Amino acid sequence: MIDFTNKPLFLAPMAGFSDLPFRNVVKKFGADVTISEMISSNALVYESSKTLHMLERSELEKPYIVQIAGGDKEILKKAVEILNEMDFIDGIDFNCGCPVNKVVKQCAGSALLNDLELFKTLVGVIKQTNKKKLTSVKFRLGFNEKYPEKMATICENLGVDFISIHGRTRKQLYSGKSDYNSIGFAKASVKIPVIANGDIDANNALEVYNITKCDGLMIGRASIGNPWIFYEIKHNKKVEEKLKKEIILTHFEEMLKHYQNQAVSIFRKHLHEYSKGHKEASAFRDEINRINDAKEMIKKIDSFF
């Protein structure tokens, strides 16, 4: 299912970015495992059509993991039962890392690191209910302090297949540096595969492996505007500008297929990222903000990149 002997590269779940078109693009250029955007168990159980649209996967996505979040035992159980009925899903990941206030206030995401008894109960419910081949958990180093080995041990004892650890506490949000030594400490405390996450890019990937001794890497924010990062890590070489342009155009085509009329406006945020570091980038961003026609957008991308 996932070959951990080959140090797989994962795309991290990112709200508003790791949608189906983006996951399709990174799969074409070196990502081994893709995970859906974080899905609220509440939204899934009370079935909004938007949530079901977010669950769709592309042909290339094998294996494909859906990440759910929540703090209520019964609702999480129902959410997993709904996912069990969807045969295109290979695994379920439980989010215990999201630091956003809105999520934490619902006693979900990284709030669970403040209550390890509840963490244990909810991970147990997901593991027992899940009929998919894979159950995984993503968490941070802790809430205010660092104690990743505690969560790692709980997950291992409950039969979780692998864990992903973001190298910051909830308190840090996204400030400061990711602490790879602490991930390495957690890795040494368990036998299940551990995936390192946080501030990983093509320049430090090897160093992260060396420090953490982890079984794979999970790339998040560094892939936005840079989906070829997986190729660069795997092949240890830069992607040529010509191929980058091809990737950007492919990404836009995928967006048009998935979002139809909304694609042009949604893709602007990606183009803002793709254009960073280019000459005349601010003028380009200004122009695309006013474009509403797909053909015109393709021409603009073609001439700028």
Side-chain angles (χ1 to χ4, degrees):
M1 183 53 82
I2 297 176
D3 181 6
F4 287 104
T5 58
N6 271 336
K7 304 277 190 197
L9 298 178
F10 290 67
L11 173 69
M14 292 176 289
F17 281 97
S18 54
D19 56 5
L20 185 147
F22 190 70
R23 296 194 312 264
N24 211 358
V25 169
V26 299
K27 275 302 277 187
K28 283 178 181 164
F29 297 97
D32 298 296
V33 186
T34 48
I35 304 174
S36 73
E37 292 177 76
M38 183 180 81
I39 306 281
S40 152
S41 51
N42 277 331
L44 187 54
V45 170
Y46 300 110
E47 269 186 88
S48 67
S49 56
K50 186 186 171 199
T51 304
L52 294 174
H53 193 49
M54 280 168 75
L55 285 172
E56 291 170 17
R57 67 143 233 222
S58 78
E59 282 298 299
L60 293 174
E61 292 187 274
K62 288 172 191 162
Y64 172 53
I65 295 172
V66 167
Q67 188 189 68
I68 56 172
D72 182 290
K73 185 177 161 181
E74 292 310 316
I75 292 176
L76 273 170
K77 188 169 192 268
K78 282 179 190 161
V80 174
E81 285 166 352
I82 289 167
L83 295 175
N84 281 341
E85 298 303 309
M86 300 178 185
D87 55 9
F88 58 87
I89 294 167
D90 301 300
I92 297 173
D93 183 69
F94 186 36
N95 180 307
C96 299
C98 181
V100 177
N101 273 333
K102 188 174 78 171
V103 175
V104 171
K105 278 178 184 161
Q106 292 173 349
C107 203
S110 56
L112 299 172
L113 308 179
N114 228 358
D115 184 347
L116 292 188
E117 275 311 305
L118 182 59
F119 173 86
K120 185 178 176 179
T121 300
L122 299 181
V123 172
V125 164
I126 291 168
K127 175 63 188 170
Q128 282 158 17
T129 314
N130 186 10
K131 291 189 174 140
K132 303 295 177 192
K133 288 185 178 136
L134 296 167
T135 304
S136 58
V137 181
K138 184 170 191 276
F139 55 85
R140 286 178 167 243
L141 300 177
F143 198 80
N144 293 321
E145 308 298 323
K146 297 173 184 178
Y147 38 87
E149 72 290 349
K150 288 185 181 175
M151 285 79 76
T153 305
I154 290 169
C155 290
E156 181 172 59
N157 291 342
L158 289 168
V160 166
D161 297 289
F162 69 90
I163 54 177
S164 315
I165 306 176
H166 179 92
R168 288 182 178 84
T169 60
R170 191 273 162 167
K171 187 181 175 181
Q172 285 178 277
L173 298 175
Y174 291 99
S175 66
K177 284 188 176 170
S178 196
D179 178 358
Y180 302 124
N181 288 312
S182 287
I183 297 176
F185 187 50
K187 163 68 188 157
S189 70
V190 290
K191 292 187 170 65
I192 56 172
V194 175
I195 309 303
N197 170 240
D199 300 345
I200 299 168
D201 58 30
N203 299 318
N204 69 352
L206 195 59
E207 183 194 357
V208 176
Y209 277 132
N210 291 336
I211 295 169
T212 62
K213 305 288 185 276
C214 62
D215 304 279
L217 301 177
M218 185 177 279
I219 316 285
R221 290 174 299 163
S223 67
I224 298 171
N226 189 26
W228 40 81
I229 188 171
F230 299 93
Y231 176 92
E232 292 185 340
I233 290 172
K234 275 193 172 164
H235 300 279
N236 199 21
K237 65 176 181 186
K238 294 281 179 204
V239 166
E240 291 172 12
E241 293 304 316
K242 189 182 167 201
L243 180 57
K244 283 183 185 177
K245 177 157 124 177
E246 193 186 309
I247 296 170
I248 295 165
L249 286 165
T250 302
H251 189 180
F252 186 47
E253 277 163 30
E254 296 292 340
M255 293 288 280
L256 287 166
K257 274 186 229 163
H258 191 63
Y259 293 110
Q260 280 107 30
N261 299 338
Q262 293 171 291
V264 174
S265 60
I266 297 173
F267 197 58
R268 287 179 192 138
K269 66 184 176 191
H270 289 283
L271 285 174
H272 287 192
E273 298 293 331
Y274 282 128
S275 62
K276 277 182 180 172
H278 283 260
K279 274 183 189 168
E280 310 295 329
S282 61
F284 169 74
R285 290 197 278 268
D286 199 43
E287 281 177 56
I288 57 150
N289 286 347
R290 291 196 288 271
I291 293 175
N292 294 304
D293 176 74
K295 284 179 180 163
E296 204 185 325
M297 188 70 105
I298 289 168
K299 273 187 197 162
K300 193 74 211 161
I301 292 168
D302 195 49
S303 64
F304 180 75
F305 294 99

